[in-house]
Each structure stands twice: as C-alpha cells, then as structure tokens.
C-alpha cells in the first residue's frame, strides 16, 4: 500500500464520518408539538407526521425561514 492509497482510505473514512454525523444531527429530537410555538394554533397532523419534531405550523415556519434568510 503506497501513500496515495492511504490518503484515499483516510479521505473515505472522513467522508463516511461526516455523513454519519450529518445524518445523526438531522434526526428529530422528539415528538412534534401539537400546538405551534409561535402562534399557538394547532399543528396539522399531516405536518406532524411529515416533519417529526416540528415546533411550528407551516405559516410560522415559512416566516421563520424568511427571517433567517433576511427576507423579513
């Protein structure tokens, strides 16, 4: 095994570790809330099932994402 092969193995190892860490970070932390953290309105069941761990209704989530991007 030469230096190039070791470098490729190391790169593959770091890629797999990074992908595993990203997948673990994207997992929901718990059950979705039944009411929106922002407005207090009920979060539809379809959203809670589609986005486990959600804390906002669709409208409030969209506004939060716009603020994050600097849109509002």
């Amino acid at each position: 095994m030469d230096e190039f092969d070791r470098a490729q193995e190391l790169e593959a190892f770091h890629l797999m570790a990074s992908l595993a860490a990203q997948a673990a970070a994207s997992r929901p932390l718990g059950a979705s809330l039944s009411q929106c953290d922002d407005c207090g309105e009920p979060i539809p069941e379809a959203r809670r099932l589609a986005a486990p761990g959600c804390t906002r209704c669709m409208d409030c989530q969209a506004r939060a994402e716009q603020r994050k991007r600097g849109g509002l």
Side-chain angles (χ1 to χ4, degrees):
M1 180 181 283
D2 65 3
E3 197 171 331
F4 184 75
D5 291 331
R6 285 190 296 271
Q8 281 185 316
E9 281 187 1
L10 184 61
E11 181 181 11
F13 171 79
H14 285 289
L15 175 63
M16 294 304 290
S18 177
L19 290 173
Q22 185 178 12
S26 67
R27 288 188 195 112
L29 298 176
S32 298
L33 296 181
S34 60
Q35 292 185 322
C36 177
D37 263 355
D38 293 353
C39 69
E41 292 295 317
I43 299 174
E45 183 178 3
R47 171 154 171 73
R48 289 181 297 168
L49 294 174
C54 67
T55 60
R56 294 183 177 114
C57 65
M58 289 292 294
D59 292 337
C60 290
Q61 182 65 39
R63 282 191 290 273
E65 289 176 8
Q66 284 181 333
R67 283 191 303 269
K68 186 176 180 180
R69 287 190 301 260
L72 289 178

